[in-house]
Amino acid sequence: MESTVTNQSFLPHDADDSQPALLFIPDISGFTRFMHENGVRYSRNLIADLLEIIIEANIINMELCEIQGDAILFYKLGTPPTVDEIVSQCKQIFLDFQNYLKIMDRGALVGAQLAENPLTLKIVVHYGRISITQIRDYTKLMGTDVIVAHRLLKNSIVGAEYVLMTEKYLSTQKPEDIAKSFEWTQLKEGFNNYEHMGDVHYRYAFLTPLRLLVTDPTAEHTRENYPNTFSLKTKIAAPVEMVLRIIRNYRLKNRWLHKVKSVTYDTKKINRLGTYFLCEMEKGGIIEIQTLQCRVTPEKVEYIEKISNFKMFPNALLFFYLTPGVGPETNLTLEFHYSRVSVGDYFYDFFGRKQIKGFMKTSVKQLKALCEQVHAKQQLK
């Protein structure tokens, strides 16, 4: 009787089901010390948010395999992405990560934690062959190249924020393309010897120069200083306290946010910093908005939200600045920040910005009308 072997574990040794794939591992540097010094209770929410920031910043459509404490394993089957795409991806993740930390650093508790135990990113990029195994509901990557990628997280590089690319990946790219993609920093050579694997050669570049592009919440956000931002201004005939209350009210979001059909949220956590609400859009799809920070002084109110699940501009930030005007009047400045780094991409530089600016312009107009309507009704009472 003929039989067919279907279990891969019983196939002969020369039956190779492996596939070529990119392996991409962002790792949070300083994670162990941060958790040890601050404890799980005070650290878990920030670390969870940072891991979500990394996942959201996936602009080259890699598959997420697993989260391993402080590291995330992504993979992409087939032909390797170009070195320019990889560098853009690394920049995207690093900037989104640092932008988030820059904002959270201004909070009293988190700021103190980060001052004592700073966090940053290192990224390992490798290309090789992998086998994909399904274990119940989990996808597991196997193969020597998977082991190599993980081992490279422990290396001899002196520094905490860098991208490491193995020669196995770089050999798939043209030397002139590699040189051009790293004009903003210095690409260095290195290697490490691992048991059973021998010498693994790589090149690496520090990501530190990118810190010059990180958004400073306290600075003036002009197009010259921050190319990936734009702002809208208006005057609202309503007091600052009321305008802020309406902006923060999740129930009213679909009354003024353009093309938002409905909003869902946890009623027990309304207005708490760090909480999320989901906006169902008129044309389908859902975007997620998180309240990051609210700073109130007699001179100025600053309210910041983060937008997720927005593929065109991942990890975008909304800055609302409110200052008192003459009488019961509010001067509102709304700034939209994004860290997409595909500089020169005509679609994003022109059509993408034009589309989102039109969206925000209509939203500001509707917010103004809503605030003034509510204020007028209160005046009649």
Side-chain angles (χ1 to χ4, degrees), residues 35-46:
M35 293 293 287
H36 175 73
E37 294 292 332
N38 298 292
V40 174
R41 179 183 175 186
Y42 295 104
S43 304
R44 61 185 179 186
N45 290 337
L46 178 62

Side-chain angles (χ1 to χ4, degrees), residues 226-290:
Y226 297 97
N228 292 355
T229 186
F230 60 79
S231 63
L232 300 169
K233 296 183 179 182
T234 191
K235 291 183 183 294
I236 301 176
V240 169
E241 297 79 8
M242 176 179 289
V243 176
L244 177 62
R245 196 160 60 245
I246 290 175
I247 290 173
R248 297 188 65 178
N249 192 326
Y250 295 174
R251 295 183 180 90
L252 298 177
K253 287 290 184 179
N254 60 327
R255 294 274 302 276
W256 62 271
L257 268 181
H258 187 42
K259 295 186 178 180
V260 172
K261 181 180 178 182
S262 62
V263 179
T264 57
Y265 46 84
D266 186 341
T267 56
K268 297 178 182 178
K269 297 180 180 179
I270 292 178
N271 290 334
R272 290 186 191 174
L273 296 181
T275 56
Y276 297 83
F277 60 94
L278 304 177
C279 297
E280 182 184 0
M281 308 306 290
E282 290 178 354
K283 294 185 177 180
I286 294 176
I287 62 172
E288 184 178 273
I289 301 181
Q290 177 188 17

Side-chain angles (χ1 to χ4, degrees), residues 315-371:
N315 288 324
L317 299 172
L318 285 176
F319 288 74
F320 296 83
Y321 296 107
L322 310 176
T323 58
V326 179
E329 184 181 70
T330 299
N331 298 311
L332 168 66
T333 299
L334 174 59
E335 295 183 350
F336 180 85
H337 292 250
Y338 63 99
S339 60
R340 176 168 287 281
V341 293
S342 52
V343 179
D345 187 317
Y346 185 75
F347 177 81
Y348 287 104
D349 285 351
F350 182 74
F351 290 106
R353 281 179 59 89
K354 184 177 180 181
Q355 183 178 3
I356 191 62
K357 194 165 186 177
F359 171 86
M360 299 313 303
K361 188 175 181 179
T362 302
S363 295
V364 168
K365 184 178 179 180
Q366 293 176 168
L367 174 62
K368 171 182 167 69
L370 177 60
C371 291

Side-chain angles (χ1 to χ4, degrees), residues 20-36:
L22 174 83
L23 297 169
F24 188 96
I25 309 178
D27 177 82
I28 300 177
S29 301
F31 170 85
T32 302
R33 180 180 174 183
F34 188 87
M35 293 293 287
H36 175 73

